[in-house]
Amino acid sequence: MLDAQTRERLGRHLKALYEPVLDETLDPRLAELLRQLESDKRERGGS
């Protein structure tokens, strides 16, 4: 079990690692695929 201070430090470190990835522009083909998957999910009644 991690204490609160360790969890916070770990969270900041992970955020710093992933922020550059999340800031990258999404490839249009991947964006279209994600839109299609969401559309299919809604049509099936999923959430």
Side-chain angles (χ1 to χ4, degrees):
M1 195 68 143
L2 300 174
D3 62 22
Q5 183 181 9
T6 302
R7 287 193 310 270
E8 187 172 326
R9 244 186 9 252
L10 182 58
R12 283 194 307 266
H13 183 71
L14 288 171
K15 183 179 178 184
L17 288 173
Y18 282 101
E19 266 185 348
V21 174
L22 296 175
D23 289 340
E24 288 181 16
T25 303
L26 193 59
D27 182 296
R29 295 170 296 176
L30 181 56
E32 180 56 34
L33 176 60
L34 291 171
R35 278 192 291 275
Q36 187 61 51
L37 289 170
E38 283 299 316
S39 175
D40 293 350
K41 186 176 172 182
R42 281 191 301 275
E43 288 175 7
R44 288 190 318 266
S47 46

